[in-house]
């Protein structure tokens, strides 16, 4: 199930190194590029809102089978794409499929977790998406630079992977029994169980900051590398994303035994610091400094994702796991898409350099605000504990 989750996220990041090629071939502006990126996220959000809780009622396997089928259709459209319209349709369908799959897969991983080893599912649901983003972007970059048919081969390979995923899903046991309310669960709504509100609200700023940064790298990262740093090798477009997401995945693996609550403040600080270092490298045209900043930001990104998904995995009850993970993904992807679209508009109006500076500074402000809020919360908790003693 973790491998299937990696595959879905790899498919979602595979187009990133190709955006520059599409832009050159079809002659569209940067804001159109970021809209194409965001269409995936909007499809994903719509899926989360409508079918995010469906596997709690129909079971995990039917929802996963439908998601894989829809992803196959999206990949076929990618293979046939000759213009922005078809590319956009493929991204929307891919977003819908990924939204349905990620919540069902996350819930399945928690269902399958051995009872004596609690916490492993939170680690897997944290590291698998980041690993998928890194592998998808890097693999796509390698194939674009060194393989034949740069806008076709990666999608053909992913299509084969989805066939294998369908076989895997057909063979797993069902982990969630059917229960009434499937139709009612399709009513779009964003809510959180009252007993989880305090735990969820405290991690929201870190979630928004982390995924806004990821949105910047996935949509504008290859363009920044090519135009501002002079790195025109298509493999670099994949490396840019891999440095962030791959470092994040390794960070999750290393810190997996740390309590989620202890990671919120340091992750925000690392995100902000890394963003500023990377911005300094871009402003001075120093690729090595920008790469170093990306690695530092990746450390914060991974720690933040581990802290947030670890929190959600710990607090969700069995019958609400799919819905709770849907809420987590809605928060993440709103932070991922809206800033990216605004960034694309800013690039068209102000130029890539100015827009990049504004985008990065905004992320730094959010991350340091999350850091301060977390420190204030820790002080308040400390005072509350000490009050009875005094």
């Amino acid at each position: 199930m973790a491998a299937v989750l990696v595959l879905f996220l790899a498919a979602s990041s595979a187009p990133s190194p190709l955006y520059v090629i599409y832009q050159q071939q079809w002659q569209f502006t940067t804001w159109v590029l970021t809209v194409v990126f965001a269409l995936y996220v909007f499809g994903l959000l719509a899926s989360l809102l409508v079918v995010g809780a469906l596997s709690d009622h129909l079971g995990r396997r039917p929802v996963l089978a439908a998601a894989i089928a829809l992803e196959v259709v999206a990949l076929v459209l990618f293979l046939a794409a000759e213009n922005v319209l078809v590319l956009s349709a493929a991204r929307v369908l891919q977003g819908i499929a990924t939204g349905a799959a990620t919540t069902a897969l996350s819930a399945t991983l928690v269902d399958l977790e051995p009872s004596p080893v609690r916490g492993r599912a939170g680690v897997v649901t944290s590291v698998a998406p980041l690993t998928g983003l890194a592998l998808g972007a890097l693999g796509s970059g390698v194939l674009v630079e060194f393989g034949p048919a740069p806008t076709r081969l990666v999608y053909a390979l992913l299509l084969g992977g989805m066939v294998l995923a369908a076989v895997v899903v057909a063979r797993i046991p069902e982990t969630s029994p059917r229960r009434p309310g499937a139709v009612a669960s399709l009513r779009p709504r964003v809510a959180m169980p009252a007993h989880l509100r305090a735990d969820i609200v405290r991690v929201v700023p870190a979630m928004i900051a982390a995924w806004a940064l990821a949105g910047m790298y996935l949509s504008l990262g290859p363009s920044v590398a090519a135009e501002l740093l002079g790195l025109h090798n298509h493999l670099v477009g994949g490396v840019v994303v891999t440095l962030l997401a791959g470092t994040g995945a390794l960070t999750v693996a290393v810190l997996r035994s740390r309590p989620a609550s202890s990671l919120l403040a340091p992750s925000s600080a690392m995100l902000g610091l890394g963003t500023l270092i990377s911005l300094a490298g871009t402003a001075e045209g120093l690729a090595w400094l920008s790469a170093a900043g990306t690695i530092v930001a990746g450390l914060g990104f991974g720690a933040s994702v581990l802290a947030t998904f670890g929190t959600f995995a710990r607090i969700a009850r069995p019958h609400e796991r799919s819905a709770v993970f849907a809420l987590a993904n809605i928060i993440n992807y709103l932070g991922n898409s809206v800033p990216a679209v605004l960034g694309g508009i800013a690039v068209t109006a102000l130029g890539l350099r100015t827009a990049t500076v504004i985008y990065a500074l905004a992320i730094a402000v959010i991350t340091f605000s999350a850091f301060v809020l977390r420190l204030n919360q820790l002080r308040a908790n400390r005072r509350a504990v000490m009050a009875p003693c005094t």
Side-chain angles (χ1 to χ4, degrees):
M1 287 299 95
V4 175
L5 183 55
V6 168
L7 179 63
F8 266 95
L9 271 296
S12 75
S13 67
S16 289
L18 294 168
Y19 286 145
V20 174
I21 296 177
Y22 291 136
Q23 192 173 16
Q24 292 171 348
Q25 290 181 349
W26 301 336
Q27 298 296 307
F28 55 83
T29 61
T30 301
W31 77 266
V32 173
L33 184 154
T34 53
V35 168
V36 171
F37 164 78
L39 284 173
Y40 158 81
V41 179
F42 293 150
L44 188 148
L45 288 172
S47 177
L48 293 173
L49 286 168
V50 176
V51 301
L54 190 60
S55 74
D56 287 336
H57 301 274
L58 292 184
R60 313 299 186 205
R61 290 174 61 191
V63 174
L64 289 175
I68 290 171
L70 195 57
E71 182 73 27
V72 167
V73 174
L75 291 171
V76 170
L77 287 178
F78 278 121
L79 281 167
E82 295 290 345
N83 54 57
V84 175
L85 184 61
V86 177
L87 181 65
S88 299
R91 285 298 273 171
V92 171
L93 292 179
Q94 187 179 53
I96 295 171
T98 306
T102 51
T103 53
L105 285 165
S106 298
T108 304
L109 287 165
V110 177
D111 294 341
L112 293 171
E113 184 177 46
S115 55
V117 196
R118 307 309 297 179
R120 182 178 297 173
V123 175
V124 175
T125 54
S126 301
V127 75
L130 300 185
T131 302
L133 289 175
L135 292 178
L138 183 61
S140 179
V142 170
L143 293 174
V144 169
E145 186 63 28
F146 302 110
T151 59
R152 300 286 189 271
L153 180 57
V154 63
Y155 300 123
L157 293 175
L158 288 168
L159 197 56
M162 283 298 160
V163 173
L164 292 177
V167 174
V168 170
V169 169
R171 294 178 63 85
I172 65 166
E174 179 56 69
T175 60
S176 180
R178 284 177 175 263
R179 62 188 181 91
V183 175
S185 75
L186 299 177
R187 186 175 70 253
R189 61 188 183 277
V190 178
M192 65 182 78
H195 64 281
L196 304 182
R197 192 163 295 148
D199 290 302
I200 291 175
V201 169
R202 70 182 56 161
V203 302
V204 167
M207 296 167 74
I208 292 174
W211 287 94
L213 183 65
M216 178 182 179
Y217 275 79
L218 285 165
S219 60
L220 297 177
S223 297
V224 170
E227 295 185 32
L228 300 185
L229 296 175
L231 304 173
H232 297 284
N233 186 307
H234 294 299
L235 176 57
V236 173
V239 171
V240 166
V241 178
T242 303
L243 281 178
L244 181 75
T247 302
L250 289 174
T251 302
V252 172
V254 171
L255 299 179
R256 63 187 182 275
S257 60
R258 295 289 299 274
S261 59
S262 69
L263 298 174
L264 289 173
S267 67
S268 297
M270 295 293 282
L271 272 171
L273 180 62
T275 301
L276 292 178
I277 294 173
S278 184
L279 176 60
T282 302
E284 297 297 325
L286 300 174
W288 67 268
L289 184 60
S290 184
T294 300
I295 292 173
V296 174
L299 295 172
F301 183 42
S304 175
V305 171
L306 179 60
T308 55
F309 274 101
T311 298
F312 278 79
R314 174 178 56 81
I315 64 178
R317 297 171 180 170
H319 67 279
E320 61 193 13
R321 282 172 182 158
S322 184
V324 167
F325 278 111
L327 174 63
N329 284 305
I330 287 170
I331 297 169
N332 286 338
Y333 284 108
L334 279 175
N336 185 253
S337 60
V338 174
V341 173
L342 295 177
I345 295 172
V347 168
T348 303
L350 305 173
L352 183 59
R353 184 178 297 276
T354 302
T356 300
V357 170
I358 294 173
Y359 198 141
L361 289 177
I363 291 173
V365 169
I366 296 173
T367 56
F368 288 126
S369 298
F371 175 71
V372 171
L373 288 172
R374 180 58 181 165
L375 289 183
N376 289 338
Q377 183 184 43
L378 290 174
R379 292 193 191 98
N381 290 344
R382 193 175 298 116
R383 286 195 297 267
V385 171
M386 294 176 64
C389 300
T390 57

